[in-house]
Amino acid sequence: MSELRRIAIVGSARTPFARGHTAYRDETNLSMLSTVLGGLADKYGFKGEKIDEVMAGAVIGHSRDFNLAREASLDAGLSPRTPGTTMQIACGTSLQAALVLGAKIASGEIESGIAAGSDSVSDSPVVFGTKFQRRMIELSRARSNGEKLGAFKGFSLGELSPVAPSVNEPRTGLPMGQHCELMAREWGISRAAQDELAYRSHQNAARAYDEGFHDDLLVSCAGLMRDNNVRADTTLEKMAAMKPAFDKASGHGTLTAANSTPLTDGASSVLLASEEWAKARGLPILAYLTMGRVAGNDFAHGEGLLMAPTIAVSELLARAQLSFDDIDYFELHEAFAAQVLCTLKAWADPQYCQQVLGRDAPMGEIDPTRINIKGSSLAYGHPFAATGARILGLTAKLLAGQAGKRALISVCTAGGQGVTALVESAA
């Protein structure tokens, strides 16, 4: 092909998101992903048909999830000829999946694709220590009773102690919340500013529900019809009463359960296609996925675990020859309110923009009224791998019917990475 094709966003579907160990305590990554893919197929009328590729993943995975995307596609009733690719890039998983599929559509390799993600903290894998794991492997390989008994030579009951699930960063040993506390301290982000951003997220999300914005985006799962974390009745006074969740001892902790995303279960999906494929089936084109960028930073040596999106966004806009003034809507994943505020402050800081982003001048400030106008992760929750597709689907609907509008998506991830995308209206 002589030129790249446009990547149409046809639409999306997601389960309502649920706080961990509540509505989806009996669900799994596979069951939730199957539910959402089936709901997407029903919504756009391709049940039993072949989609060129499903790309999905989970951050908290069992060994049984090794072929998650393929198994979910089959369980959802898609054609057995639909291939499935399982991938993972922490919280950016489903947005990265959309970028990869989008590149294949743009180049003509495929005509259609579904980007998706699913995560369950309620079904987190519980494993044993290395010593007992090795015994189990030896036992599975044993051929005689003597070899089976030999696998337990020197066994002690202490080996049965399970290893609790952990999201601590392997290179630092610190959880994401502690890293974000360090960022908030470095950038001078106050507790009051964090609570205000979280409050605004809940208010915007509640208003979006009242307006019916989510009516056609959600697929019921396990009897849940809407996200159970959105708090329309929360107040700044209630938030101010919360105790620090991560830095509990120093007296300087600012991150609380109110201004941090809760551990969440859920799944989401987005249908992408070439214009020809969508039009041939009479399907809508809500918006176009036009560009993406992934970046990493040296968080292990002080660059800030969740600051890599500043780099990704800077590189994306430089490539697109755009500035913040050219963007109508900003969809910034709210892992923590402090993360969003640190990012915004960095983009406006001359020294940071010069030394880290390689820019001659600051990128500038962003009008808060253009940020997460329908609420974001602090309100809806954050099933790690599902968040990117949730945001992409919401953004496409936000742009639908609006001529000449652009939206910028930014997602921070564990491991000091950031995934960002540019979406433009189809009208």
Side-chain angles (χ1 to χ4, degrees), residues 203-271:
Q203 291 298 302
N204 287 347
R207 189 179 307 111
Y209 264 110
D210 291 342
E211 294 168 351
F213 183 84
H214 295 288
D215 289 353
D216 64 344
L217 298 180
L218 298 174
V219 175
S220 175
C221 182
L224 190 64
M225 302 298 293
R226 61 182 290 170
D227 307 292
N228 69 8
N229 187 63
V230 178
R231 298 287 183 266
D233 60 348
T234 194
T235 65
L236 289 171
E237 289 73 23
K238 290 179 181 178
M239 290 183 172
M242 303 289 288
K243 295 180 179 180
F246 300 99
D247 182 359
K248 302 177 182 180
S250 74
H252 301 292
T254 59
L255 274 68
T256 70
N259 58 41
S260 308
T261 50
L263 293 173
T264 315
D265 304 335
S268 61
S269 62
V270 177
L271 176 61

Side-chain angles (χ1 to χ4, degrees), residues 94-116:
S94 50
L95 183 56
Q96 174 76 320
L99 295 179
V100 174
L101 291 173
K104 291 186 175 187
I105 292 169
S107 68
E109 181 178 343
I110 62 176
E111 297 294 327
S112 61
I114 299 172

Side-chain angles (χ1 to χ4, degrees), residues 358-378:
R359 287 177 168 264
D360 295 331
M363 295 182 69
E365 297 184 356
I366 301 174
D367 182 353
T369 62
R370 293 191 288 154
I371 300 174
N372 300 341
I373 66 170
K374 300 297 183 183
S376 193
S377 306
L378 286 168

